[in-house]
Amino acid sequence: MMNYLLSALFALSFSVAAVEDIQFEKEWIKVGPVEFQTELALTPEQRARGLMYRDSAENGMLFLYDEARVLSFWMRNTKVPLDIAYIKADWTIEPIQFLYPYDEKGKASKGPVIGALEMPQGWFKAQGLAAGTKIVRCGKKCD
């Protein structure tokens, strides 16, 4: 019994440490006329973690890939309702899709895309942004 408890404690501490280990860089982007700083998910580890285990998604996360492909996102371990805007190769967004907390059914892009922008649910609508909106990566600050 003691070995089982020690093993469980070790596994739990490893899981908690793994949650804290992944760091995300930030970058300014412009979505239509709206400028803000968001986190970047560029590596496989960052993309796999995404916004899991967070209490908010205030500034969202931009997921980027090296080449266009059909993507599908799910909400495993994600408690915040999100909107997802898949990004086509011309840096315009597809129709916004809703993602619901803990829903493990994937929501796929309509076609090949180079990335996705996840934001708090309702953010795109509140900003008046829809399919066809252009996204620009600004770097340290938008002009």
Side-chain angles (χ1 to χ4, degrees), residues 29-41:
I29 64 172
K30 186 187 279 191
V31 182
V34 183
E35 299 175 8
F36 60 98
Q37 192 176 42
T38 190
E39 291 182 274
L40 298 176

Side-chain angles (χ1 to χ4, degrees), residues 115-132:
L117 177 61
E118 288 184 338
M119 295 298 292
Q121 201 166 82
W123 184 86
F124 290 96
K125 184 175 182 178
Q127 305 301 322
L129 305 171

Side-chain angles (χ1 to χ4, degrees), residues 20-115:
E20 296 169 3
D21 286 344
I22 297 177
Q23 301 296 313
F24 297 89
E25 293 179 39
K26 293 183 178 181
E27 179 175 290
W28 282 87
I29 64 172
K30 186 187 279 191
V31 182
V34 183
E35 299 175 8
F36 60 98
Q37 192 176 42
T38 190
E39 291 182 274
L40 298 176
L42 305 173
T43 68
E45 295 80 17
Q46 289 169 330
R47 292 189 295 251
R49 175 61 47 78
L51 292 168
M52 288 181 178
Y53 310 109
R54 306 239 185 140
D55 293 323
S56 82
E58 186 177 335
N59 292 325
M61 186 171 286
L62 180 61
F63 297 77
L64 295 175
Y65 296 80
D66 293 331
E67 53 190 50
R69 66 185 87 180
V70 173
L71 295 176
S72 183
F73 279 58
W74 64 355
M75 295 287 283
R76 175 173 282 175
N77 300 316
T78 308
K79 53 185 159 182
V80 180
L82 300 171
D83 285 344
I84 188 165
Y86 286 110
I87 305 165
K88 298 189 280 186
D90 66 357
W91 285 87
T92 60
I93 61 176
E94 288 189 345
I96 310 303
Q97 297 186 55
F98 301 123
L99 299 173
Y100 297 99
Y102 304 107
D103 184 0
E104 293 193 11
K105 289 178 276 179
K107 294 263 181 125
S109 60
K110 306 293 182 209
V113 294
I114 58 167

